[in-house]
Amino acid sequence: MKLNQIKSTLISNKKRKRVGRGSGSGIGKTSGRGVKGQKSRSGVSINGFEGGQMPLYRRLPKRGFKNINKIKIQQISIKTLNQIITKYSLDVDLIQENDLFKRKIFKKSKGNLKLLNVGKTDKKINIEISYASKSAISSIEKAGGKVQLLKN
């Protein structure tokens, strides 16, 4: 057996139909598309058309809406902030939101950060962030730190 004698089992032996090759071929002239009309032309697809029956996308009720003015916000807790400080050895004197995005700890595309009061801190953390809850601000200030909110 030679390489040129091997037949692939993946490819079917069925040849594709060559339409529009004369009337003797059985699929010549109109190439099996019938006569005239929109469907006989090239580049036509009537999506969602169900032969005059009310299409599915019109039978179902309209639901929901997407607010284009929605502000994207990522949540960050004090607990995770402490973990990030130890893992990435961040300077506790001033942590900026942009530094967290530059170091690729958080993605900018997912929105600005909001600090939430989940967990406890013993460190004096000074942080610049877009949003923060009142309880998170008070708990960081109790530990001797400072939260500065950025103007968006």
Side-chain angles (χ1 to χ4, degrees):
M1 182 176 268
K2 295 174 188 160
L3 280 174
N4 66 339
Q5 293 174 331
I6 298 172
K7 284 191 176 178
S8 173
T9 55
L10 300 173
I11 302 166
S12 65
N13 295 334
K14 203 172 186 182
K15 297 215 172 178
R16 75 176 185 92
K17 235 182 227 185
R18 295 188 69 210
V19 294
R21 294 292 181 274
S23 56
S25 69
I27 30 175
K29 196 185 166 215
T30 53
S31 306
R33 287 176 175 264
V35 191
K36 294 184 181 177
Q38 185 181 13
K39 287 184 176 177
S40 69
R41 314 285 189 238
S42 67
V44 173
S45 63
I46 305 170
N47 290 335
F49 185 69
E50 297 182 16
Q53 174 178 299
M54 186 61 67
L56 182 69
Y57 69 89
R58 286 186 61 197
R59 277 178 284 177
L60 299 174
K62 292 193 275 185
R63 289 182 60 97
F65 117 103
K66 278 232 192 311
N67 186 358
I68 57 169
N69 300 318
K70 183 181 177 186
I71 299 168
K72 291 181 182 177
I73 296 174
Q74 300 181 69
Q75 298 173 348
I76 177 173
S77 65
I78 294 173
K79 182 182 173 184
T80 55
L81 186 65
N82 284 330
Q83 291 171 352
I84 288 167
I85 289 167
T86 54
K87 185 178 180 184
Y88 294 95
S89 62
L90 292 175
D91 184 25
V92 188
D93 296 336
L94 185 62
I95 301 167
Q96 293 181 319
E97 190 175 288
N98 285 339
D99 292 342
L100 298 174
F101 292 137
K102 283 178 186 172
R103 286 181 173 228
K104 296 183 180 174
I105 300 167
F106 292 96
K107 288 185 179 179
K108 179 72 176 158
S109 62
K110 290 188 177 179
N112 293 332
L113 299 177
K114 181 173 184 174
L115 187 65
L116 300 178
N117 187 26
V118 178
K120 294 180 182 176
T121 183
D122 303 327
K123 302 171 189 169
K124 280 186 176 181
I125 300 171
N126 294 332
I127 186 165
E128 278 185 13
I129 200 160
S130 294
Y131 307 100
S133 66
K134 289 178 183 176
S135 56
I137 293 169
S138 64
S139 68
I140 284 182
E141 286 175 350
K142 278 181 188 173
K146 207 176 209 182
V147 177
Q148 189 176 4
L149 296 178
L150 299 171
K151 293 179 183 175
N152 294 330

mmCIF file of all heavy atoms in Angstrom, residues 104-152:
data_model
loop_
_atom_site.group_PDB
_atom_site.id
_atom_site.type_symbol
_atom_site.label_atom_id
_atom_site.label_comp_id
_atom_site.label_asym_id
_atom_site.label_seq_id
_atom_site.Cartn_x
_atom_site.Cartn_y
_atom_site.Cartn_z
ATOM 1 N N LYS A 104 -2.996 45.141 37.334
ATOM 2 C CA LYS A 104 -3.936 44.143 36.816
ATOM 3 C C LYS A 104 -4.516 43.261 37.927
ATOM 4 O O LYS A 104 -4.776 42.087 37.737
ATOM 5 C CB LYS A 104 -3.287 43.298 35.715
ATOM 6 C CG LYS A 104 -2.922 44.138 34.506
ATOM 7 C CD LYS A 104 -2.358 43.328 33.383
ATOM 8 C CE LYS A 104 -2.029 44.255 32.217
ATOM 9 N NZ LYS A 104 -1.364 43.579 31.140
ATOM 10 N N ILE A 105 -4.706 43.881 39.096
ATOM 11 C CA ILE A 105 -5.384 43.196 40.191
ATOM 12 C C ILE A 105 -6.886 43.211 39.918
ATOM 13 O O ILE A 105 -7.594 42.247 40.159
ATOM 14 C CB ILE A 105 -5.047 43.863 41.544
ATOM 15 C CG1 ILE A 105 -3.531 43.815 41.788
ATOM 16 C CG2 ILE A 105 -5.797 43.194 42.685
ATOM 17 C CD1 ILE A 105 -3.035 44.686 42.912
ATOM 18 N N PHE A 106 -7.362 44.342 39.391
ATOM 19 C CA PHE A 106 -8.747 44.495 38.953
ATOM 20 C C PHE A 106 -8.748 44.983 37.518
ATOM 21 O O PHE A 106 -7.800 45.630 37.074
ATOM 22 C CB PHE A 106 -9.497 45.513 39.828
ATOM 23 C CG PHE A 106 -9.715 45.055 41.235
ATOM 24 C CD1 PHE A 106 -8.852 45.435 42.248
ATOM 25 C CD2 PHE A 106 -10.781 44.242 41.548
ATOM 26 C CE1 PHE A 106 -9.048 45.014 43.546
ATOM 27 C CE2 PHE A 106 -10.990 43.814 42.837
ATOM 28 C CZ PHE A 106 -10.115 44.191 43.842
ATOM 29 N N LYS A 107 -9.830 44.686 36.789
ATOM 30 C CA LYS A 107 -9.950 45.135 35.403
ATOM 31 C C LYS A 107 -10.724 46.449 35.359
ATOM 32 O O LYS A 107 -11.800 46.565 35.936
ATOM 33 C CB LYS A 107 -10.675 44.090 34.556
ATOM 34 C CG LYS A 107 -9.854 42.869 34.273
ATOM 35 C CD LYS A 107 -10.579 41.952 33.335
ATOM 36 C CE LYS A 107 -9.761 40.719 33.020
ATOM 37 N NZ LYS A 107 -10.469 39.804 32.137
ATOM 38 N N LYS A 108 -10.172 47.418 34.648
ATOM 39 C CA LYS A 108 -10.808 48.726 34.501
ATOM 40 C C LYS A 108 -12.128 48.610 33.734
ATOM 41 O O LYS A 108 -13.083 49.334 33.998
ATOM 42 C CB LYS A 108 -9.855 49.690 33.785
ATOM 43 C CG LYS A 108 -10.391 51.071 33.542
ATOM 44 C CD LYS A 108 -10.478 51.877 34.812
ATOM 45 C CE LYS A 108 -10.940 53.293 34.518
ATOM 46 N NZ LYS A 108 -11.518 53.944 35.674
ATOM 47 N N SER A 109 -12.193 47.652 32.801
ATOM 48 C CA SER A 109 -13.385 47.503 31.963
ATOM 49 C C SER A 109 -14.608 47.080 32.769
ATOM 50 O O SER A 109 -15.737 47.315 32.362
ATOM 51 C CB SER A 109 -13.131 46.488 30.852
ATOM 52 O OG SER A 109 -12.844 45.222 31.427
ATOM 53 N N LYS A 110 -14.382 46.451 33.942
ATOM 54 C CA LYS A 110 -15.510 46.013 34.763
ATOM 55 C C LYS A 110 -16.029 47.119 35.670
ATOM 56 O O LYS A 110 -16.965 46.893 36.432
ATOM 57 C CB LYS A 110 -15.111 44.799 35.599
ATOM 58 C CG LYS A 110 -14.919 43.560 34.766
ATOM 59 C CD LYS A 110 -14.713 42.351 35.628
ATOM 60 C CE LYS A 110 -14.596 41.099 34.789
ATOM 61 N NZ LYS A 110 -14.360 39.904 35.606
ATOM 62 N N GLY A 111 -15.438 48.299 35.616
ATOM 63 C CA GLY A 111 -15.950 49.444 36.357
ATOM 64 C C GLY A 111 -15.044 49.871 37.496
ATOM 65 O O GLY A 111 -14.050 49.226 37.813
ATOM 66 N N ASN A 112 -15.430 50.992 38.119
ATOM 67 C CA ASN A 112 -14.682 51.539 39.243
ATOM 68 C C ASN A 112 -14.916 50.710 40.498
ATOM 69 O O ASN A 112 -15.835 49.901 40.554
ATOM 70 C CB ASN A 112 -15.089 52.993 39.479
ATOM 71 C CG ASN A 112 -14.671 53.890 38.335
ATOM 72 O OD1 ASN A 112 -13.694 53.615 37.651
ATOM 73 N ND2 ASN A 112 -15.405 54.962 38.113
ATOM 74 N N LEU A 113 -14.099 50.957 41.515
ATOM 75 C CA LEU A 113 -14.153 50.160 42.729
ATOM 76 C C LEU A 113 -14.998 50.828 43.809
ATOM 77 O O LEU A 113 -15.031 52.053 43.913
ATOM 78 C CB LEU A 113 -12.743 49.933 43.270
ATOM 79 C CG LEU A 113 -11.771 49.197 42.363
ATOM 80 C CD1 LEU A 113 -10.411 49.121 43.009
ATOM 81 C CD2 LEU A 113 -12.271 47.809 42.039
ATOM 82 N N LYS A 114 -15.663 49.998 44.606
ATOM 83 C CA LYS A 114 -16.388 50.473 45.784
ATOM 84 C C LYS A 114 -15.933 49.658 46.975
ATOM 85 O O LYS A 114 -15.966 48.428 46.959
ATOM 86 C CB LYS A 114 -17.896 50.328 45.597
ATOM 87 C CG LYS A 114 -18.668 50.845 46.808
ATOM 88 C CD LYS A 114 -20.150 50.862 46.584
ATOM 89 C CE LYS A 114 -20.852 51.471 47.782
ATOM 90 N NZ LYS A 114 -22.279 51.634 47.559
ATOM 91 N N LEU A 115 -15.500 50.350 48.031
ATOM 92 C CA LEU A 115 -15.018 49.704 49.240
ATOM 93 C C LEU A 115 -16.186 49.407 50.159
ATOM 94 O O LEU A 115 -16.989 50.295 50.463
ATOM 95 C CB LEU A 115 -14.008 50.619 49.946
ATOM 96 C CG LEU A 115 -13.285 50.039 51.147
ATOM 97 C CD1 LEU A 115 -12.398 48.886 50.733
ATOM 98 C CD2 LEU A 115 -12.451 51.114 51.822
ATOM 99 N N LEU A 116 -16.301 48.144 50.587
ATOM 100 C CA LEU A 116 -17.381 47.724 51.474
ATOM 101 C C LEU A 116 -16.818 47.281 52.817
ATOM 102 O O LEU A 116 -15.684 46.815 52.905
ATOM 103 C CB LEU A 116 -18.167 46.567 50.837
ATOM 104 C CG LEU A 116 -18.833 46.860 49.500
ATOM 105 C CD1 LEU A 116 -19.518 45.614 48.981
ATOM 106 C CD2 LEU A 116 -19.837 47.981 49.610
ATOM 107 N N ASN A 117 -17.631 47.423 53.857
ATOM 108 C CA ASN A 117 -17.205 47.087 55.206
ATOM 109 C C ASN A 117 -17.452 45.614 55.499
ATOM 110 O O ASN A 117 -18.385 45.246 56.187
ATOM 111 C CB ASN A 117 -17.939 47.970 56.224
ATOM 112 C CG ASN A 117 -17.418 47.776 57.625
ATOM 113 O OD1 ASN A 117 -16.278 47.388 57.815
ATOM 114 N ND2 ASN A 117 -18.249 48.033 58.606
ATOM 115 N N VAL A 118 -16.607 44.761 54.949
ATOM 116 C CA VAL A 118 -16.658 43.323 55.234
ATOM 117 C C VAL A 118 -15.272 42.932 55.705
ATOM 118 O O VAL A 118 -14.306 43.038 54.957
ATOM 119 C CB VAL A 118 -17.050 42.514 53.978
ATOM 120 C CG1 VAL A 118 -17.054 41.028 54.279
ATOM 121 C CG2 VAL A 118 -18.405 42.966 53.460
ATOM 122 N N GLY A 119 -15.148 42.498 56.931
ATOM 123 C CA GLY A 119 -13.862 42.154 57.512
ATOM 124 C C GLY A 119 -13.340 43.284 58.375
ATOM 125 O O GLY A 119 -13.954 44.358 58.473
ATOM 126 N N LYS A 120 -12.212 43.032 59.016
ATOM 127 C CA LYS A 120 -11.616 44.022 59.913
ATOM 128 C C LYS A 120 -10.200 44.337 59.461
ATOM 129 O O LYS A 120 -9.554 43.542 58.797
ATOM 130 C CB LYS A 120 -11.592 43.484 61.345
ATOM 131 C CG LYS A 120 -12.967 43.303 61.931
ATOM 132 C CD LYS A 120 -12.907 42.765 63.333
ATOM 133 C CE LYS A 120 -14.303 42.556 63.883
ATOM 134 N NZ LYS A 120 -14.296 41.940 65.211
ATOM 135 N N THR A 121 -9.733 45.529 59.872
ATOM 136 C CA THR A 121 -8.359 45.921 59.557
ATOM 137 C C THR A 121 -7.690 46.468 60.811
ATOM 138 O O THR A 121 -8.333 47.117 61.637
ATOM 139 C CB THR A 121 -8.305 46.956 58.420
ATOM 140 O OG1 THR A 121 -6.941 47.224 58.131
ATOM 141 C CG2 THR A 121 -9.016 48.238 58.748
ATOM 142 N N ASP A 122 -6.408 46.180 60.958
ATOM 143 C CA ASP A 122 -5.611 46.711 62.059
ATOM 144 C C ASP A 122 -4.599 47.721 61.533
ATOM 145 O O ASP A 122 -4.030 48.491 62.298
ATOM 146 C CB ASP A 122 -4.865 45.567 62.770
ATOM 147 C CG ASP A 122 -5.832 44.500 63.269
ATOM 148 O OD1 ASP A 122 -6.962 44.860 63.637
ATOM 149 O OD2 ASP A 122 -5.455 43.303 63.266
ATOM 150 N N LYS A 123 -4.376 47.699 60.211
ATOM 151 C CA LYS A 123 -3.370 48.555 59.595
ATOM 152 C C LYS A 123 -3.936 49.949 59.348
ATOM 153 O O LYS A 123 -5.131 50.118 59.137
ATOM 154 C CB LYS A 123 -2.920 47.957 58.259
ATOM 155 C CG LYS A 123 -2.351 46.571 58.376
ATOM 156 C CD LYS A 123 -2.148 45.980 57.008
ATOM 157 C CE LYS A 123 -1.779 44.506 57.108
ATOM 158 N NZ LYS A 123 -1.819 43.846 55.832
ATOM 159 N N LYS A 124 -3.029 50.936 59.321
ATOM 160 C CA LYS A 124 -3.409 52.297 58.927
ATOM 161 C C LYS A 124 -3.381 52.345 57.406
ATOM 162 O O LYS A 124 -2.317 52.425 56.798
ATOM 163 C CB LYS A 124 -2.413 53.312 59.469
ATOM 164 C CG LYS A 124 -2.600 53.675 60.905
ATOM 165 C CD LYS A 124 -1.639 54.796 61.256
ATOM 166 C CE LYS A 124 -1.840 55.283 62.671
ATOM 167 N NZ LYS A 124 -0.928 56.373 62.998
ATOM 168 N N ILE A 125 -4.536 52.250 56.797
ATOM 169 C CA ILE A 125 -4.612 52.224 55.334
ATOM 170 C C ILE A 125 -5.080 53.585 54.837
ATOM 171 O O ILE A 125 -6.123 54.076 55.255
ATOM 172 C CB ILE A 125 -5.582 51.129 54.846
ATOM 173 C CG1 ILE A 125 -5.125 49.753 55.326
ATOM 174 C CG2 ILE A 125 -5.709 51.150 53.340
ATOM 175 C CD1 ILE A 125 -6.119 48.655 55.071
ATOM 176 N N ASN A 126 -4.295 54.178 53.945
ATOM 177 C CA ASN A 126 -4.713 55.391 53.241
ATOM 178 C C ASN A 126 -5.030 54.982 51.814
ATOM 179 O O ASN A 126 -4.170 54.469 51.108
ATOM 180 C CB ASN A 126 -3.609 56.447 53.261
ATOM 181 C CG ASN A 126 -3.353 56.951 54.670
ATOM 182 O OD1 ASN A 126 -4.249 56.943 55.512
ATOM 183 N ND2 ASN A 126 -2.135 57.374 54.936
ATOM 184 N N ILE A 127 -6.266 55.218 51.397
ATOM 185 C CA ILE A 127 -6.703 54.730 50.084
ATOM 186 C C ILE A 127 -7.464 55.804 49.329
ATOM 187 O O ILE A 127 -8.233 56.569 49.916
ATOM 188 C CB ILE A 127 -7.551 53.438 50.238
ATOM 189 C CG1 ILE A 127 -7.878 52.830 48.879
ATOM 190 C CG2 ILE A 127 -8.799 53.679 51.048
ATOM 191 C CD1 ILE A 127 -8.389 51.411 48.944
ATOM 192 N N GLU A 128 -7.188 55.874 48.027
ATOM 193 C CA GLU A 128 -7.965 56.728 47.115
ATOM 194 C C GLU A 128 -8.817 55.801 46.272
ATOM 195 O O GLU A 128 -8.290 54.949 45.566
ATOM 196 C CB GLU A 128 -7.036 57.530 46.198
ATOM 197 C CG GLU A 128 -6.478 58.768 46.821
ATOM 198 C CD GLU A 128 -5.667 59.595 45.834
ATOM 199 O OE1 GLU A 128 -5.752 59.338 44.612
ATOM 200 O OE2 GLU A 128 -4.951 60.496 46.279
ATOM 201 N N ILE A 129 -10.134 55.969 46.347
ATOM 202 C CA ILE A 129 -11.048 55.050 45.668
ATOM 203 C C ILE A 129 -12.269 55.816 45.192
ATOM 204 O O ILE A 129 -12.596 56.882 45.716
ATOM 205 C CB ILE A 129 -11.403 53.875 46.614
ATOM 206 C CG1 ILE A 129 -11.935 52.680 45.852
ATOM 207 C CG2 ILE A 129 -12.340 54.310 47.716
ATOM 208 C CD1 ILE A 129 -11.850 51.384 46.598
ATOM 209 N N SER A 130 -12.969 55.279 44.190
ATOM 210 C CA SER A 130 -14.116 55.984 43.610
ATOM 211 C C SER A 130 -15.300 56.037 44.556
ATOM 212 O O SER A 130 -15.926 57.074 44.728
ATOM 213 C CB SER A 130 -14.547 55.311 42.307
ATOM 214 O OG SER A 130 -13.559 55.438 41.336
ATOM 215 N N TYR A 131 -15.641 54.888 45.152
ATOM 216 C CA TYR A 131 -16.803 54.812 46.028
ATOM 217 C C TYR A 131 -16.438 54.050 47.293
ATOM 218 O O TYR A 131 -15.573 53.182 47.270
ATOM 219 C CB TYR A 131 -17.968 54.085 45.342
ATOM 220 C CG TYR A 131 -18.342 54.637 43.988
ATOM 221 C CD1 TYR A 131 -17.901 54.024 42.821
ATOM 222 C CD2 TYR A 131 -19.135 55.768 43.863
ATOM 223 C CE1 TYR A 131 -18.237 54.520 41.569
ATOM 224 C CE2 TYR A 131 -19.479 56.278 42.622
ATOM 225 C CZ TYR A 131 -19.029 55.645 41.484
ATOM 226 O OH TYR A 131 -19.358 56.143 40.255
ATOM 227 N N ALA A 132 -17.138 54.366 48.383
ATOM 228 C CA ALA A 132 -16.954 53.626 49.628
ATOM 229 C C ALA A 132 -18.211 53.780 50.475
ATOM 230 O O ALA A 132 -18.842 54.837 50.480
ATOM 231 C CB ALA A 132 -15.744 54.136 50.386
ATOM 232 N N SER A 133 -18.564 52.709 51.181
ATOM 233 C CA SER A 133 -19.730 52.792 52.070
ATOM 234 C C SER A 133 -19.337 53.562 53.325
ATOM 235 O O SER A 133 -18.169 53.623 53.699
ATOM 236 C CB SER A 133 -20.222 51.395 52.429
ATOM 237 O OG SER A 133 -19.254 50.723 53.200
ATOM 238 N N LYS A 134 -20.347 54.152 53.984
ATOM 239 C CA LYS A 134 -20.084 54.964 55.177
ATOM 240 C C LYS A 134 -19.447 54.124 56.279
ATOM 241 O O LYS A 134 -18.528 54.566 56.970
ATOM 242 C CB LYS A 134 -21.383 55.589 55.683
ATOM 243 C CG LYS A 134 -21.907 56.680 54.792
ATOM 244 C CD LYS A 134 -23.228 57.229 55.305
ATOM 245 C CE LYS A 134 -23.784 58.272 54.357
ATOM 246 N NZ LYS A 134 -25.108 58.753 54.792
ATOM 247 N N SER A 135 -19.928 52.892 56.436
ATOM 248 C CA SER A 135 -19.391 52.023 57.482
ATOM 249 C C SER A 135 -17.945 51.620 57.183
ATOM 250 O O SER A 135 -17.134 51.472 58.099
ATOM 251 C CB SER A 135 -20.268 50.782 57.655
ATOM 252 O OG SER A 135 -20.390 50.097 56.437
ATOM 253 N N ALA A 136 -17.603 51.468 55.904
ATOM 254 C CA ALA A 136 -16.223 51.129 55.526
ATOM 255 C C ALA A 136 -15.292 52.295 55.828
ATOM 256 O O ALA A 136 -14.183 52.098 56.335
ATOM 257 C CB ALA A 136 -16.151 50.769 54.053
ATOM 258 N N ILE A 137 -15.760 53.503 55.537
ATOM 259 C CA ILE A 137 -14.956 54.702 55.811
ATOM 260 C C ILE A 137 -14.708 54.829 57.313
ATOM 261 O O ILE A 137 -13.584 55.053 57.756
ATOM 262 C CB ILE A 137 -15.653 55.971 55.263
ATOM 263 C CG1 ILE A 137 -15.692 55.934 53.724
ATOM 264 C CG2 ILE A 137 -14.940 57.234 55.730
ATOM 265 C CD1 ILE A 137 -16.568 56.983 53.100
ATOM 266 N N SER A 138 -15.765 54.624 58.099
ATOM 267 C CA SER A 138 -15.627 54.776 59.558
ATOM 268 C C SER A 138 -14.713 53.700 60.151
ATOM 269 O O SER A 138 -13.921 53.995 61.048
ATOM 270 C CB SER A 138 -16.997 54.736 60.228
ATOM 271 O OG SER A 138 -17.591 53.471 60.045
ATOM 272 N N SER A 139 -14.787 52.468 59.657
ATOM 273 C CA SER A 139 -13.935 51.400 60.205
ATOM 274 C C SER A 139 -12.462 51.616 59.859
ATOM 275 O O SER A 139 -11.588 51.307 60.669
ATOM 276 C CB SER A 139 -14.400 50.029 59.720
ATOM 277 O OG SER A 139 -14.171 49.895 58.351
ATOM 278 N N ILE A 140 -12.181 52.160 58.686
ATOM 279 C CA ILE A 140 -10.791 52.445 58.319
ATOM 280 C C ILE A 140 -10.269 53.637 59.120
ATOM 281 O O ILE A 140 -9.114 53.660 59.548
ATOM 282 C CB ILE A 140 -10.656 52.670 56.794
ATOM 283 C CG1 ILE A 140 -10.715 51.315 56.093
ATOM 284 C CG2 ILE A 140 -9.358 53.382 56.444
ATOM 285 C CD1 ILE A 140 -10.566 51.328 54.619
ATOM 286 N N GLU A 141 -11.134 54.637 59.347
ATOM 287 C CA GLU A 141 -10.718 55.795 60.133
ATOM 288 C C GLU A 141 -10.513 55.428 61.604
ATOM 289 O O GLU A 141 -9.692 56.026 62.283
ATOM 290 C CB GLU A 141 -11.734 56.935 59.975
ATOM 291 C CG GLU A 141 -11.635 57.603 58.616
ATOM 292 C CD GLU A 141 -12.690 58.656 58.356
ATOM 293 O OE1 GLU A 141 -13.648 58.763 59.155
ATOM 294 O OE2 GLU A 141 -12.559 59.373 57.353
ATOM 295 N N LYS A 142 -11.247 54.434 62.109
ATOM 296 C CA LYS A 142 -11.044 53.952 63.488
ATOM 297 C C LYS A 142 -9.673 53.318 63.633
ATOM 298 O O LYS A 142 -9.046 53.408 64.686
ATOM 299 C CB LYS A 142 -12.123 52.926 63.856
ATOM 300 C CG LYS A 142 -13.422 53.539 64.294
ATOM 301 C CD LYS A 142 -14.412 52.466 64.657
ATOM 302 C CE LYS A 142 -15.784 53.056 64.910
ATOM 303 N NZ LYS A 142 -16.799 51.997 65.116
ATOM 304 N N ALA A 143 -9.213 52.656 62.571
ATOM 305 C CA ALA A 143 -7.896 52.023 62.592
ATOM 306 C C ALA A 143 -6.773 53.034 62.380
ATOM 307 O O ALA A 143 -5.596 52.686 62.444
ATOM 308 C CB ALA A 143 -7.829 50.937 61.530
ATOM 309 N N GLY A 144 -7.144 54.304 62.108
ATOM 310 C CA GLY A 144 -6.146 55.358 61.933
ATOM 311 C C GLY A 144 -5.834 55.672 60.484
ATOM 312 O O GLY A 144 -4.925 56.428 60.189
ATOM 313 N N GLY A 145 -6.589 55.085 59.573
ATOM 314 C CA GLY A 145 -6.353 55.318 58.148
ATOM 315 C C GLY A 145 -7.213 56.448 57.601
ATOM 316 O O GLY A 145 -7.893 57.161 58.348
ATOM 317 N N LYS A 146 -7.188 56.596 56.292
ATOM 318 C CA LYS A 146 -7.951 57.664 55.647
ATOM 319 C C LYS A 146 -8.494 57.163 54.311
ATOM 320 O O LYS A 146 -7.790 56.480 53.575
ATOM 321 C CB LYS A 146 -7.038 58.859 55.412
ATOM 322 C CG LYS A 146 -7.736 60.183 55.375
ATOM 323 C CD LYS A 146 -6.715 61.285 55.231
ATOM 324 C CE LYS A 146 -7.212 62.562 55.864
ATOM 325 N NZ LYS A 146 -6.250 63.659 55.681
ATOM 326 N N VAL A 147 -9.745 57.520 54.014
ATOM 327 C CA VAL A 147 -10.347 57.174 52.723
ATOM 328 C C VAL A 147 -10.620 58.475 51.985
ATOM 329 O O VAL A 147 -11.320 59.350 52.498
ATOM 330 C CB VAL A 147 -11.651 56.379 52.904
ATOM 331 C CG1 VAL A 147 -12.295 56.097 51.554
ATOM 332 C CG2 VAL A 147 -11.394 55.076 53.635
ATOM 333 N N GLN A 148 -10.053 58.576 50.780
ATOM 334 C CA GLN A 148 -10.300 59.747 49.959
ATOM 335 C C GLN A 148 -11.089 59.306 48.740
ATOM 336 O O GLN A 148 -10.652 58.421 47.996
ATOM 337 C CB GLN A 148 -8.965 60.384 49.546
ATOM 338 C CG GLN A 148 -9.135 61.714 48.872
ATOM 339 C CD GLN A 148 -7.776 62.355 48.555
ATOM 340 O OE1 GLN A 148 -6.721 61.760 48.784
ATOM 341 N NE2 GLN A 148 -7.821 63.561 48.026
ATOM 342 N N LEU A 149 -12.263 59.912 48.536
ATOM 343 C CA LEU A 149 -13.106 59.537 47.417
ATOM 344 C C LEU A 149 -12.732 60.357 46.188
ATOM 345 O O LEU A 149 -12.566 61.577 46.258
ATOM 346 C CB LEU A 149 -14.583 59.755 47.774
ATOM 347 C CG LEU A 149 -15.122 58.887 48.907
ATOM 348 C CD1 LEU A 149 -16.572 59.243 49.188
ATOM 349 C CD2 LEU A 149 -15.015 57.415 48.570
ATOM 350 N N LEU A 150 -12.603 59.690 45.063
ATOM 351 C CA LEU A 150 -12.275 60.348 43.787
ATOM 352 C C LEU A 150 -13.538 60.917 43.178
ATOM 353 O O LEU A 150 -14.626 60.345 43.317
ATOM 354 C CB LEU A 150 -11.648 59.337 42.827
ATOM 355 C CG LEU A 150 -10.337 58.688 43.263
ATOM 356 C CD1 LEU A 150 -9.986 57.559 42.311
ATOM 357 C CD2 LEU A 150 -9.224 59.699 43.306
ATOM 358 N N LYS A 151 -13.399 62.003 42.478
ATOM 359 C CA LYS A 151 -14.549 62.617 41.788
ATOM 360 C C LYS A 151 -14.621 62.038 40.402
ATOM 361 O O LYS A 151 -13.683 62.133 39.616
ATOM 362 C CB LYS A 151 -14.400 64.133 41.725
ATOM 363 C CG LYS A 151 -14.495 64.779 43.081
ATOM 364 C CD LYS A 151 -14.318 66.272 42.994
ATOM 365 C CE LYS A 151 -14.348 66.906 44.371
ATOM 366 N NZ LYS A 151 -14.069 68.338 44.339
ATOM 367 N N ASN A 152 -15.750 61.405 40.093
ATOM 368 C CA ASN A 152 -15.925 60.776 38.767
ATOM 369 C C ASN A 152 -16.710 61.686 37.867
ATOM 370 O O ASN A 152 -17.671 62.239 38.164
ATOM 371 C CB ASN A 152 -16.608 59.429 38.906
ATOM 372 C CG ASN A 152 -15.721 58.428 39.639
ATOM 373 O OD1 ASN A 152 -14.518 58.517 39.539
ATOM 374 N ND2 ASN A 152 -16.310 57.531 40.365
#
